[in-house]
Amino acid sequence: MRVLDTHLHMWDEEVLTYTWLEGPYAYRFAETEVEHDRLDVEREEAVFVQAETTEGDYIGEVRWVQSLAGRLGIAGIVAGAQLHRGIDTVTHLEELATHPLVVGVRHNLQNDPDGLAVSSAFVTGAREVAARGWTFDVCVRAAQLPDIARLAGAVPELRMVLDHLGKPAVGTADAPLAPSAEWVRDIEEVAKHPEAFCKLSGLPAESGGVWSAEQLVPFLDAAADAFGVERLLWGSDWPVSSIGPAEEGDPHAPADGSATYQPHARQRWLDTVVEWAEARGHDVDAILWANGRRFYRLDDPRVESADAPRRGFFGRLFGG
């Protein structure tokens, strides 16, 4: 089995500046930690997605990840960007374009005011992204999905992907929630646009790290019904979706029962999606590999110019 993890984060407060890291997130998750949490597969690559450094560190984050890419099998970078800043946005995108592993950008919208994604300034920035052949990772909360459908209509050439299925309310394993009619309606509206894709990622984090396959499968079904299997990508959302209550038998479990790192969570999410896809008769290789490479254009010659160094670590490990 080959896997392209389309949603991998890393961070290191000794290298870059972040304002949101606290509790179990306030640890280094970088090269050593990635190597210790490899998937049990024959071939593995990943797309790094910006981890909300401060805006002044967006370029520094790209440089840092590029320095690790060859050893970690990172095939592409989704860089941080603010798309509503006019000429400053254009200048930033031009600088990003000098880094060959950059395949897309993410302006994290989930905490921004409603309506920003359809403002004239943001739409102009989104058109600049599309003009460069890049993708746009959409990180929003479920209530913001109507704005994303409108953005897709305003910039139909923009290849966008919903991170974490648009963050629906999923409940927990003990108190599951069914997909809401509003969320289903809204992802169907987004999916009407042929350049819109959806990541099967992030649901464990939305469940607070307490989840079951039975709880989350209805959301996978709804995404498949809306987007079709050919527009679904798998992502681990590591390490965000690997934080929650300590796993049974964890010798390092906090004595106070607080959330901690779950060392088997990434593999468990992969196994859950594979088992769901196989049970439904879906094309597993498409979801785990081919769709992601097509969406992020990882076989584009511009990106392949960095192919030799980025295959180093996993190539030696798996012979890929």
Side-chain angles (χ1 to χ4, degrees):
M1 181 183 295
R2 54 185 185 171
V3 173
L4 175 70
D5 184 346
T6 64
H7 207 94
L8 183 82
H9 300 296
M10 293 188 295
W11 54 78
D12 186 344
E13 290 185 282
E14 293 187 0
V15 178
L16 302 164
T17 303
Y18 311 81
T19 61
W20 66 276
L21 298 178
E22 59 184 18
Y25 297 101
Y27 293 90
R28 180 181 186 270
F29 288 97
E31 180 179 9
T32 300
E33 292 73 24
V34 171
E35 291 180 354
H36 286 170
D37 205 358
R38 294 188 299 267
L39 298 167
D40 183 18
V41 295
E42 294 175 355
R43 182 175 179 183
E44 176 180 352
E45 292 186 7
V47 173
F48 171 83
V49 176
Q50 61 94 215
E52 284 301 278
T53 66
T54 56
E55 188 175 346
D57 270 351
Y58 283 170
I59 298 296
E61 183 179 51
V62 169
R63 294 190 181 115
W64 176 60
V65 173
Q66 283 185 160
S67 74
L68 303 175
R71 296 186 293 278
L72 298 181
I74 294 174
I77 295 172
V78 176
Q82 295 290 302
L83 297 187
H84 63 305
R85 300 277 175 80
I87 189 62
D88 289 341
T89 294
V90 174
T91 300
H92 179 64
L93 296 180
E94 288 176 349
E95 186 167 4
L96 287 177
T98 67
H99 299 278
L101 283 185
V102 172
V103 294
V105 300
R106 183 169 82 159
H107 175 136
N108 195 332
L109 286 160
Q110 63 181 341
N111 295 319
D112 283 339
D114 291 346
L116 178 64
V118 291
S119 66
S120 59
F122 195 97
V123 169
T124 298
R127 287 179 177 143
E128 291 286 344
V129 173
R132 288 163 172 77
W134 287 346
T135 62
F136 177 51
D137 264 60
V138 179
C139 187
V140 294
R141 304 186 191 282
Q144 297 170 294
L145 286 169
D147 279 354
I148 301 309
R150 292 171 60 196
L151 174 64
V155 194
E157 68 276 21
L158 178 65
R159 287 177 295 126
M160 63 171 61
V161 59
L162 285 182
D163 293 348
H164 319 324
L165 294 84
K167 292 200 162 189
V170 299
T172 66
D174 295 331
L177 294 175
S180 71
E182 293 79 11
W183 173 75
V184 171
R185 176 199 65 206
D186 291 342
I187 64 167
E188 287 177 346
E189 284 300 311
V190 174
K192 288 179 180 178
H193 301 276
E195 297 298 334
F197 286 61
C198 182
K199 284 187 186 178
L200 306 183
S201 64
L203 296 188
E206 295 305 301
S207 190
V210 184
W211 59 278
S212 69
E214 294 77 14
Q215 168 202 0
L216 300 184
V217 156
F219 295 88
L220 303 181
D221 284 335
D225 289 344
F227 288 90
V229 173
E230 69 280 1
R231 287 190 283 155
L232 299 180
L233 320 178
W234 182 80
S236 70
D237 188 33
W238 184 91
V240 177
S241 282
S242 293
I243 301 294
E247 296 175 336
E248 185 175 354
D250 182 356
H252 306 292
D256 62 1
S258 59
T260 187
Y261 179 68
Q262 300 173 332
H264 300 100
R266 187 174 182 233
Q267 183 70 47
R268 182 182 170 209
W269 178 240
L270 174 66
D271 293 344
T272 296
V273 172
V274 169
E275 290 169 9
W276 161 78
E278 289 178 341
R280 298 292 189 267
H282 297 329
D283 186 337
V284 174
D285 186 69
I287 295 171
L288 300 187
W289 180 265
N291 294 347
R293 292 195 69 84
R294 174 168 53 90
F295 176 75
Y296 285 113
R297 293 181 176 170
L298 298 182
D299 296 316
D300 185 293
R302 182 187 63 83
V303 176
E304 287 297 325
S305 65
D307 186 67
R310 78 163 181 259
R311 289 193 191 277
F313 176 76
F314 286 108
R316 291 194 302 273
L317 185 64
F318 299 124

